[in-house]
Amino acid sequence: MDVGVRETSGNIYVPRYSALQRVNHWITAILFVLLALSGLAMFYPWLYFFFVFFGGGQATRNLHPWFGVGLVVSFFFLAVQFVRNNIPNRDDVKWMRNFRKVMTNDHENLPELGKYNAGQKGVYWSQIGLILVLLITGLIIWDQYFYDWTAIPAKRWALLIHSLAAVIAIAIIIVHIYAGIWIKGTGRAMTRGSVTGGWAYLH
């Protein structure tokens, strides 16, 4: 069990993430943003202006799949570190049934949880599934290396599924970011690696 550290301010802070975990998280986050922007640039004409961030359309098309490879590798190491804490259990069902209380910060009758609640576990497993789908479909449409491996109809379906999975993944990450901002004190965990004793007790 982690032991809290009392700082000069008098507050007790509890370790939550190691330096390695935080670096891994931010590398994954940066790669996700690069992937999202480059992918959206190719997704819809109104978003073509994103091309300027990557040196033009052709450069964007070349860089996008490599960002994807980097994300898969980085996310794999991140997921492996947190898999034990994200195994669903009965407390998650109770937490979901009381989700209205969670939204209103009424924690009186909520079950005691481990490191992550059901919502966080949902983000974890959904991103694993979506990134796997994005990897498989991305390889199918990566014509520079795999053009001869699949037929045109397969590429069209893969492109459609790839786009849908990307939109869902982006939406989930937006909710993930919003939750991190909305729940006061959460951001400190991924910037400094610790949370207050009160935050740890409450969440």
Side-chain angles (χ1 to χ4, degrees):
M1 181 177 179
D2 292 327
V3 179
V5 177
R6 187 179 296 276
E7 296 190 353
T8 54
S9 62
N11 294 326
I12 294 177
Y13 292 95
V14 180
R16 184 163 173 83
Y17 296 114
S18 68
L20 177 61
Q21 290 171 334
R22 298 198 307 276
V23 169
N24 195 171
H25 169 271
W26 288 114
I27 289 174
T28 303
I30 291 169
L31 286 168
F32 189 94
V33 170
L34 292 174
L35 263 172
L37 293 178
S38 57
L40 288 171
M42 296 182 287
F43 181 71
Y44 197 71
W46 285 1
L47 301 175
Y48 282 173
F49 65 89
F50 283 141
F51 282 142
V52 72
F53 298 127
F54 305 99
Q58 188 60 46
T60 304
R61 284 187 286 273
N62 290 334
L63 288 170
H64 181 78
W66 287 111
F67 290 149
V69 171
L71 177 72
V72 168
V73 173
S74 181
F75 184 78
F76 171 79
F77 286 110
L78 192 68
V80 166
Q81 294 177 78
F82 298 137
V83 64
R84 183 183 302 175
N85 300 117
N86 281 281
I87 303 299
N89 55 50
R90 292 181 180 179
D91 289 338
D92 296 323
V93 177
K94 295 178 183 177
W95 188 90
M96 289 299 295
R97 287 176 178 171
N98 291 278
F99 187 69
R100 185 174 296 179
K101 293 182 180 179
V102 175
M103 294 301 294
T104 57
N105 286 319
D106 178 13
H107 299 272
E108 290 295 327
N109 298 312
L110 292 177
E112 291 190 16
L113 301 173
K115 190 167 187 175
Y116 300 116
N117 60 45
Q120 292 166 313
K121 291 177 182 179
V123 170
Y124 174 88
W125 290 110
S126 63
Q127 290 295 69
I128 286 179
L130 288 166
I131 288 176
L132 182 61
V133 170
L134 289 167
L135 172 63
I136 294 171
T137 55
L139 291 175
I140 293 173
I141 59 178
W142 197 355
D143 287 345
Q144 185 176 358
Y145 296 104
F146 306 106
Y147 180 80
D148 296 327
W149 289 38
T150 54
I152 297 297
K155 295 180 191 296
R156 289 173 177 167
W157 278 107
L159 181 59
L160 175 61
I161 296 170
H162 190 84
S163 301
L164 290 173
V167 169
I168 296 170
I170 292 171
I172 290 173
I173 290 300
I174 290 173
V175 173
H176 174 64
I177 294 171
Y178 175 76
I181 296 171
W182 178 62
I183 301 175
K184 186 177 180 181
T186 300
R188 179 188 173 95
M190 270 304 171
T191 55
R192 302 186 187 182
S194 63
V195 292
T196 64
W199 189 101
Y201 174 80
L202 189 61
H203 299 289

